[in-house]
Amino acid sequence: DRKVYTFKLRRGVKFHNGAEMTADDIKFAIDYTINPKNGAYGLEDLSAVERAEVVDKYALRMHLKQPNPVLLAALTEIRSFSAIPKESLGEGIRKPTTFPPGTGPFKFVEWLPGQRIVFARHEDYWGQKANVDRVVMKEIGDNTVRFTALQAGDVDIIERTPYEWVQQVIEGKIKGIGIAKAARAGARNLEFNVADPPFNNKKLRLAIAHALDRKEIMQAAYLGLAETGDQRFPNGHYWHFDIPAPQYDPNKAKALLKEAGYKGETLELMGNRGEVAEVEGAVIQAQLRKVGVKVELKILERASALEARRQGKYMFKLAGGSDYADPLPAYEEYACEPDPRNRRLNESGYCDKEYDALLRK
């Protein structure tokens, strides 16, 4: 009935504490994750799992509530659940003070919140041993300080490199610094709160879409080191579809604004601090001003922005998106949710029964 999966576990896998990993441990990890009292990150990914069953020491069976074609894709992500020893976490502890042993090539050593997290090589790792003895991940929030630390040799690698320096590295203007470009890293999108005024008005949403020159936004925010898109999956991807999308057309935008009944009200655009929202927002603000739309940019700390989005307390927002292996997790966040003031995945408040039926099908 496509509702039972049996997994044979690799033998001889050692936890960081030296104990061997068995099916009992994996059952515990799954049970912990699907228990809503624990607030586990992978609860949504394993929502189709009814229970886990130990077959023998090295075999585990998962029983599903209904067939789920994306289960295997979800299990390739570490966020679904971590392999941890049985009884290593208590029920209902949402913020553990210690880290249970894992099975990966690096073991946890130290975590100083806001400063650093330290890992050491796991000598009993079952696969290719790590090539370095120790990894220290530092949190350096300021772009300039982060890049200066790289140039000085205080750190070996940085991510979220400011784009103006990326461009200089590419052009060979900064010596001794190399760069690795991801083929696909993620996406940025503009999302409307469609459940409430003013963007419950589809014509107003379309007017905004036609007023935006995405290439100009990309050039300003990313120095052209990205591609414009109109869906979750990029051009050339298996799950990319050639479908019509609103194109940059200021005249059409003005006509739609008139049809929508826009009277010059100020629209509030929200973004997260520490991302490129400030730059993206400034360009969008200028582009919309050209068609007669007033925009106020509201940049919040991540936690405050998340709370506002989940409560539906925003007009439209700049958002990021992950790279997905499968279309269901990419698009299911727009499925209807019961409480418009307590949104989990669907922060836009979008709800279309036909869309939901297609996702289920």
Side-chain angles (χ1 to χ4, degrees):
D1 59 5
R2 295 172 293 167
K3 292 196 293 185
V4 180
Y5 284 76
T6 303
F7 297 93
K8 293 181 180 178
L9 306 183
R10 185 182 295 274
R11 295 171 184 241
V13 173
K14 295 289 183 69
F15 283 113
H16 298 149
N17 63 4
E20 185 183 20
M21 182 197 80
T22 69
D24 284 323
D25 300 307
I26 303 304
K27 172 178 163 51
F28 169 78
I30 294 170
D31 289 346
Y32 180 88
T33 303
I34 64 177
N35 181 348
K37 291 181 181 178
N38 297 324
Y41 197 78
L43 178 63
E44 194 69 36
D45 289 323
L46 299 188
S47 59
V49 178
E50 183 176 61
R51 62 187 174 91
E53 171 195 0
V54 172
V55 179
D56 59 41
K57 188 175 182 180
Y58 301 109
L60 180 97
R61 195 165 285 144
M62 287 172 69
H63 297 264
L64 308 188
K65 300 168 190 171
Q66 65 273 331
N68 187 320
V70 298
L71 177 70
L72 295 179
L75 292 180
T76 67
E77 301 276 355
I78 195 170
R79 73 177 194 178
S80 297
F81 72 90
S82 299
I84 54 176
K86 184 179 180 182
E87 312 299 345
S88 58
L89 285 174
E91 184 182 77
I93 302 173
R94 287 177 174 258
K95 292 187 177 180
T97 54
T98 58
F99 286 73
T103 59
F106 289 98
K107 58 185 178 182
F108 170 76
V109 175
E110 178 189 44
W111 177 37
L112 295 176
Q115 297 181 52
R116 67 177 182 267
I117 184 166
V118 182
F119 301 94
R121 176 166 52 204
H122 177 30
E123 299 295 350
D124 285 333
Y125 182 59
W126 61 268
Q128 171 66 45
K129 304 288 189 294
N131 292 321
V132 294
D133 300 324
R134 188 176 173 90
V135 174
V136 181
M137 297 178 73
K138 294 183 177 180
E139 185 176 321
I140 307 175
D142 184 272
N143 285 339
T144 302
V145 175
R146 192 160 65 249
F147 194 73
T148 302
L150 180 69
Q151 288 182 292
D154 295 335
V155 297
D156 300 298
I157 304 168
I158 63 172
E159 65 168 2
R160 292 189 180 272
T161 310
Y163 289 97
E164 60 270 23
W165 285 313
V166 171
Q167 191 66 40
Q168 291 182 57
V169 172
I170 290 172
E171 293 170 358
K173 294 178 180 177
I174 301 177
K175 302 301 180 186
I177 304 293
I179 190 168
K181 184 180 177 183
R184 294 201 309 273
R188 295 288 292 169
N189 56 287
L190 188 68
E191 192 167 278
F192 302 99
N193 178 6
V194 305
D196 300 306
F199 286 118
N200 57 349
N201 184 331
K202 184 178 178 179
K203 287 185 177 178
L204 183 58
R205 302 198 300 268
L206 278 170
I208 300 297
H210 284 295
L212 297 181
D213 182 345
R214 287 176 292 180
K215 287 186 177 178
E216 185 181 51
I217 298 168
M218 182 188 75
Q219 189 62 42
Y222 306 99
L223 295 176
L225 297 171
E227 294 179 7
T228 58
D230 54 26
Q231 53 193 282
R232 286 286 196 201
F233 296 94
N235 223 342
H237 193 285
Y238 183 84
W239 292 112
H240 181 277
F241 295 95
D242 187 13
I243 53 173
Q247 300 301 311
Y248 177 54
D249 187 340
N251 291 329
K252 192 166 186 178
K254 289 176 183 177
L256 281 163
L257 284 169
K258 193 173 182 179
E259 290 178 33
Y262 176 70
K263 305 292 186 192
E265 307 94 316
T266 298
L267 305 180
E268 192 175 87
L269 175 61
M270 189 172 74
N272 287 357
R273 194 178 307 284
E275 294 179 346
V276 287
E278 290 96 334
V279 181
E280 292 169 329
V283 179
I284 290 169
Q285 199 174 32
Q287 289 182 356
L288 293 180
R289 193 184 302 123
K290 289 179 183 177
V291 296
V293 175
K294 296 177 186 175
V295 174
E296 180 185 334
L297 194 56
K298 186 177 183 180
I299 303 296
L300 300 176
E301 296 297 336
R302 183 177 290 273
S304 301
L306 180 62
E307 185 178 1
R309 297 198 308 260
R310 289 188 169 173
Q311 292 177 2
K313 293 179 179 178
Y314 75 95
M315 289 188 183
F316 62 150
K317 65 183 173 83
L318 291 156
S322 301
D323 183 26
Y324 295 95
D326 188 277
L328 184 59
Y331 292 115
E332 69 178 347
E333 69 178 80
Y334 300 109
C336 298
E337 290 193 352
D339 185 355
R341 292 292 166 259
N342 185 22
R343 304 173 187 180
R344 293 175 64 208
L345 286 176
N346 190 349
E347 295 172 356
S348 72
Y350 178 80
C351 183
D352 184 293
K353 300 297 183 185
E354 185 182 358
Y355 180 86
D356 283 16
L358 286 168
L359 282 180
R360 284 196 300 273
K361 187 177 177 182

